[in-house]
Amino acid sequence: MEKLEEEKQERLDQLNKLLPSLSNQQQLFIKLCLKYSFNYERIAHYLGGISDYEVSLQVEKTIETLRSVFNNSQHMELLNRSSKIVLEGEFNDHQTEIFHMRYALQLSFEQISESLKLNPTMVKKLFVQAHAKIKTAKKTA
């Protein structure tokens, strides 16, 4: 039972770390959901001038935003870890990072381009170039 409480507290701490990423309105909805146990009628009554249906729509949007922020923060945490793929040969930093993100983190090319702030076409081009180098290295070995 104690472990369950610790896990709940850990999740709540994670949520609190992500709250600043949300707009003020979204933060308010999350805080009210926690305070009123997701009772949309009570939240609507507290806010006044808003229906419980509108509250549910806002909460859905806020939760989706939270999921996105959470997933991105998890990806960034994985990126910041020191476990990198060791590539031998003539790879530039971007190629090495793209390989790591593609294979170790299982990210799509679009996600990689967002994370590295590179054009998706450039990410694919660098990946193909690096992949070609690996195939060439395997043939000569």
Side-chain angles (χ1 to χ4, degrees), residues 2-104:
E2 220 174 273
K3 185 173 182 154
L4 182 65
E5 286 302 314
E6 284 178 28
E7 197 173 298
K8 282 182 181 180
Q9 187 59 47
E10 186 177 312
R11 287 189 177 152
L12 189 58
D13 291 344
Q14 284 177 327
L15 175 68
N16 285 326
K17 286 179 188 173
L18 297 177
L19 281 180
S21 303
L22 300 176
S23 71
N24 287 338
Q25 181 183 11
Q26 289 174 322
Q27 288 181 36
L28 175 64
F29 275 104
I30 291 296
K31 288 176 183 174
L32 290 174
C33 283
L34 293 173
K35 181 177 181 177
Y36 294 119
S37 302
F38 286 85
N39 183 324
Y40 298 149
E41 287 181 37
R42 289 184 67 191
I43 295 170
H45 178 74
Y46 175 85
L47 293 173
I50 185 171
S51 70
D52 56 341
Y53 177 72
E54 182 63 29
V55 168
S56 72
L57 292 176
Q58 290 298 325
V59 169
E60 262 182 56
K61 288 179 190 175
T62 301
I63 289 173
E64 196 53 44
T65 302
L66 260 179
R67 267 195 196 107
S68 174
V69 170
F70 179 73
N71 289 335
N72 285 337
S73 71
Q74 279 190 320
H75 285 309
M76 292 311 292
E77 191 176 301
L78 285 172
L79 289 175
N80 291 331
R81 289 189 182 158
S82 60
S83 63
K84 297 224 182 224
I85 296 174
V86 178
L87 298 172
E88 294 179 10
E90 299 175 18
F91 288 85
N92 67 32
D93 290 341
H94 282 306
Q95 288 171 329
T96 303
E97 195 63 31
I98 289 167
F99 253 80
H100 171 70
M101 295 170 85
R102 183 73 176 158
Y103 288 115

